[in-house]
Amino acid sequence: MIGPVSTPPDWLTRLRARDPESLQAVAEEHSRRLYRAARGMGLSAEQADDVVQEVFVTFLGSLDRFEGRSSLATWLFGILLRKVQEQRRASARDGQHDELDESWAANFDPSGTWITPPVEPDRALAGQEFADAVRSCLDDLTPQQREVFVLRQFQELAASGVSKILDLTVTHVGVLLHRARLRMRQCLDALGWGTAQ
Amino acid sequence: MMTCREVSTVISSGPLAEQPANVRIRAWVHLMMCRHCRRFWRQIRALDRGVRAALRGYEEEMPPDLPKRVADRLSGRGPDEVA
């Protein structure tokens, strides 16, 4: 049985008609988060500025294919990711194996119980110094770990959304997030921020 | 029952709410009984809060006129008009 023919929502119709107010509203609503993600993924301020513009240009060119089934944010982040990836070559470090897996395993005895239990995070992880440390540690992640880690910081993007954007399975997104967090904890700990053991 | 290693790996792979019900429930049971894994969970959440704040800092450096430049460009008023 054929279902009812769906019509695009009003906002999408207005965007397709290049309604200036709608274009402005979309740019206002999404530019900041896209810029934040682009910077988080390692682009310079200038590159991020360019990429955000290119994301919207591509978005406008692909509006006829956008049916509104995924959220607008997911669609835009998907375009952003492809633009960011175009800016750099894929790293060979994104293999299936990571030496982190072994160092993580070393935290547990053969029965899977903590050998050295975690400690309470002993101070607020905030402020400019911590932000600088985070930015520095993001550079330690592989490109894919970094993409997953940064995208997962946007609460509107669940694992399923990130997996669509990155064209990965939800399980692989989880593995990459796990490795990214371990590497971030190790790095921040080495810089004296005491998030890990 | 899940081990500490399994539970902490699940926790750091994404929010528990996104896990299948059987994994979520088994992880909750373990967390109720294991203070070490609860601590690890707090670490992860503290790290996320700090990272989100650090990433939000990038927005402050965004040129304030960027959304307008984008809108102008999309409307064909910018230097590189969209076909």
Side-chain angles (χ1 to χ4, degrees), chain B residues 5-76:
Chain B
R5 182 177 174 182
E6 289 167 337
V7 168
S8 50
T9 300
V10 165
I11 287 170
S12 69
S13 301
L16 274 184
E18 292 179 10
Q19 295 292 333
N22 64 326
V23 174
R24 197 168 61 235
I25 292 165
R26 288 162 65 217
W28 272 117
V29 170
H30 181 102
L31 283 167
M32 279 193 295
M33 294 186 292
C34 178
R35 69 178 191 282
H36 300 325
C37 286
R38 287 200 300 273
R39 227 179 265 161
F40 177 76
W41 194 23
R42 284 195 287 275
Q43 280 186 359
I44 290 291
R45 286 184 295 176
L47 174 64
D48 277 358
R49 281 194 299 274
V51 169
R52 284 196 185 111
L55 290 174
R56 275 195 297 273
Y58 280 131
E59 292 185 11
E60 289 163 20
E61 66 181 40
M62 187 186 94
D65 65 336
L66 179 58
K68 183 175 183 312
R69 279 189 281 124
V70 167
D72 285 351
R73 191 170 166 190
L74 297 183
S75 306

Side-chain angles (χ1 to χ4, degrees), chain A:
Chain A
M1 183 176 158
I2 298 171
V5 176
S6 60
T7 53
D10 286 349
W11 61 267
L12 186 52
T13 306
R14 286 196 298 274
L15 278 177
R16 285 178 177 163
R18 311 306 196 246
D19 169 53
E21 279 183 22
S22 301
L23 294 172
Q24 176 85 33
V26 169
E28 290 283 354
E29 186 180 347
H30 295 281
S31 291
R32 283 185 172 280
R33 282 179 299 175
L34 291 168
Y35 184 91
R36 187 200 321 170
R39 291 287 282 123
M41 289 179 193
L43 299 194
S44 68
E46 191 181 346
Q47 287 172 325
D49 188 304
D50 287 343
V51 159
V52 169
Q53 294 188 54
E54 291 303 321
V55 165
F56 284 104
V57 170
T58 301
F59 169 67
L60 200 63
S62 63
L63 263 178
D64 291 336
R65 283 187 285 120
F66 179 67
E67 296 169 350
R69 282 202 291 256
S70 61
S71 78
L72 186 54
T74 302
W75 189 262
L76 289 170
F77 276 112
I79 298 172
L80 174 79
L81 187 81
R82 289 193 291 280
K83 300 287 178 193
V84 170
Q85 287 172 338
E86 283 168 14
Q87 296 260 353
R88 63 173 186 234
R89 302 173 72 186
S91 164
R93 288 194 293 159
D94 285 324
Q96 292 297 306
H97 180 78
D98 194 303
E99 72 277 8
L100 268 178
D101 295 337
E102 281 152 29
S103 65
W104 173 244
N107 288 309
F108 303 92
D109 67 18
S111 71
T113 304
W114 293 101
I115 293 171
T116 308
V119 296
E120 288 290 348
D122 60 358
R123 53 180 161 156
L125 302 177
Q128 189 55 46
E129 253 187 278
F130 181 69
D132 291 342
V134 164
R135 292 171 184 191
S136 158
C137 287
L138 282 171
D139 289 337
D140 270 7
L141 304 183
T142 68
Q144 261 194 328
Q145 287 171 357
R146 188 170 185 157
E147 287 158 7
V148 167
F149 188 69
V150 169
L151 288 176
R152 288 299 335 244
Q153 302 305 324
F154 293 87
Q155 283 166 323
E156 65 270 38
L157 294 177
S160 56
V162 173
S163 73
K164 269 188 211 164
I165 291 169
L166 293 165
D167 196 22
L168 299 171
T169 64
V170 170
T171 304
H172 196 182
V173 167
V175 170
L176 289 167
L177 180 63
H178 169 64
R179 288 175 178 169
R181 277 176 163 155
L182 297 189
R183 203 179 285 278
M184 287 295 287
R185 288 172 78 239
Q186 281 182 354
C187 176
L188 289 166
D189 196 43
L191 294 175
W193 282 94
T195 62
Q197 308 298 323

